[in-house]
mmCIF file of all heavy atoms in Angstrom:
data_model
loop_
_atom_site.group_PDB
_atom_site.id
_atom_site.type_symbol
_atom_site.label_atom_id
_atom_site.label_comp_id
_atom_site.label_asym_id
_atom_site.label_seq_id
_atom_site.Cartn_x
_atom_site.Cartn_y
_atom_site.Cartn_z
ATOM 1 N N PHE A 35 2.023 55.352 -14.028
ATOM 2 C CA PHE A 35 2.010 56.064 -12.851
ATOM 3 C C PHE A 35 3.163 57.032 -12.826
ATOM 4 O O PHE A 35 4.302 56.773 -13.145
ATOM 5 C CB PHE A 35 2.084 55.208 -11.544
ATOM 6 C CG PHE A 35 1.933 55.911 -10.246
ATOM 7 C CD1 PHE A 35 0.685 56.257 -9.759
ATOM 8 C CD2 PHE A 35 3.013 56.490 -9.631
ATOM 9 C CE1 PHE A 35 0.474 56.954 -8.560
ATOM 10 C CE2 PHE A 35 2.880 57.111 -8.477
ATOM 11 C CZ PHE A 35 1.603 57.394 -7.907
ATOM 12 N N GLY A 221 1.044 29.464 -20.495
ATOM 13 C CA GLY A 221 1.973 29.706 -19.401
ATOM 14 C C GLY A 221 2.729 28.493 -18.910
ATOM 15 O O GLY A 221 2.137 27.348 -19.065
ATOM 16 N N SER A 469 -35.286 19.424 0.037
ATOM 17 C CA SER A 469 -34.630 19.808 -1.245
ATOM 18 C C SER A 469 -35.714 19.869 -2.318
ATOM 19 O O SER A 469 -36.521 18.946 -2.424
ATOM 20 C CB SER A 469 -33.517 18.800 -1.639
ATOM 21 O OG SER A 469 -33.011 19.162 -2.840
ATOM 22 N N ALA A 571 -60.907 93.230 -12.752
ATOM 23 C CA ALA A 571 -62.275 93.307 -12.299
ATOM 24 C C ALA A 571 -63.212 92.686 -13.303
ATOM 25 O O ALA A 571 -63.078 92.894 -14.539
ATOM 26 C CB ALA A 571 -62.610 94.834 -12.162
ATOM 27 N N ASN A 626 -62.772 68.003 -21.815
ATOM 28 C CA ASN A 626 -62.416 66.843 -21.158
ATOM 29 C C ASN A 626 -61.324 66.042 -21.904
ATOM 30 O O ASN A 626 -61.117 66.279 -23.048
ATOM 31 C CB ASN A 626 -63.700 65.925 -20.914
ATOM 32 C CG ASN A 626 -64.734 66.541 -20.124
ATOM 33 O OD1 ASN A 626 -64.403 67.430 -19.257
ATOM 34 N ND2 ASN A 626 -65.980 66.229 -20.330
#
Side-chain angles (χ1 to χ4, degrees):
F35 185 87
S469 177
N626 296 334

